[in-house]
Amino acid sequence: MELDLATALADARTEYDKMVAGDWYRYRSGPELAELTTSTQRTCRRITALYDDDRPAAGALFRELLGTVGEGVDFRPPFYLDYGHRLHLGDRTFVNAEFLTLGGGEIRIGADVLIGPSVRLYTPTHVLDPELRQQGWERVSPITIEDGVWLGGSVVVCPGVTIGARSVVGAGSVVTKDVPPDVVVAGNPARVVRSLLPEG
């Protein structure tokens, strides 16, 4: 959906409320957005600093920061989030170092997911018009990673993508559209290269 500037400018909601609703908003406006991202990024740095000396305290802070965290979740810092409360992790999921999420789109990651190092999950889409883009107009779309998925190192997942259960995304891939369950995808853009289901 393209930006209708007149409608967007007439919208009296806060930029945060528009963001959460998935509508066009200006990420450079609204003090609540800057405050949230600054606070989240500060907490990410605190967790990294604590991790070696007091892992239980780092883990407790990690659980406070995120929207929901399942049992047995494990992670390796550093990691970088814009809005911690918009990220949800299922049971026994592992997040490797240099994990990054951008934007305020909701990200739901299921149980038993393996996230390789330097994985990037991008939820925002900027407006195409260059003048409006300079004004900070964007909208966010959710990302869903279902149970048992393995994301290889340096994978990029684009806004609005769902990765089906038990699928594998090869290292360095850029996922621009939904991935069905039980497949291996690889490349830029990522394409199905094989099925994981038994033949016959």
Side-chain angles (χ1 to χ4, degrees):
M1 182 177 74
E2 286 299 314
L3 170 66
D4 179 337
L5 186 59
T7 301
L9 288 172
D11 191 333
R13 292 175 297 167
T14 67
E15 301 304 313
Y16 175 82
D17 288 340
K18 288 183 272 188
M19 178 188 78
V20 169
D23 297 325
W24 290 105
Y25 72 100
R26 284 170 292 180
Y27 68 91
R28 293 179 183 166
S29 302
E32 74 281 359
L33 295 180
E35 206 171 286
L36 271 171
T37 55
T38 298
S39 171
T40 299
Q41 291 160 5
R42 184 183 301 120
T43 302
C44 289
R45 291 191 296 272
R46 283 182 60 205
I47 291 168
T48 297
L50 271 173
Y51 187 82
D52 285 341
D53 296 327
D54 192 345
R55 195 164 296 186
L61 204 51
F62 180 80
R63 287 180 169 276
E64 279 179 31
L65 177 64
L66 270 58
T68 54
V69 180
E71 294 300 316
V73 167
D74 193 9
F75 70 96
R76 297 291 181 272
F79 59 93
Y80 312 95
L81 313 177
D82 274 348
Y83 303 94
H85 69 286
R86 303 289 283 161
L87 174 61
H88 307 271
L89 299 179
D91 296 342
R92 299 172 302 279
T93 282
F94 175 72
V95 180
N96 215 325
E98 302 288 342
F99 177 62
L100 178 143
T101 71
L102 280 185
E106 193 161 52
I107 298 173
R108 293 198 170 271
I109 298 174
D112 302 302
V113 174
L114 294 178
I115 298 177
S118 299
V119 165
R120 273 81 176 103
L121 307 181
Y122 301 148
T123 66
T125 301
H126 300 284
V127 70
L128 295 178
D129 180 280
E131 289 185 17
L132 295 176
R133 191 164 60 244
Q134 288 172 13
Q135 295 171 25
W137 288 101
E138 71 176 24
R139 61 186 306 194
V140 295
S141 300
I143 289 173
T144 302
I145 299 169
E146 296 181 349
D147 295 349
V149 166
W150 173 19
L151 302 180
S154 300
V155 162
V156 171
V157 180
C158 292
V161 164
T162 293
I163 299 177
R166 299 168 300 279
S167 285
V168 176
V169 181
S173 298
V174 178
V175 187
T176 60
K177 61 183 182 179
D178 290 353
V179 173
D182 300 302
V183 296
V184 177
V185 299
N188 181 5
R191 293 182 174 86
V192 175
V193 295
R194 61 169 285 200
S195 171
L196 293 171
L197 296 173
E199 294 183 10

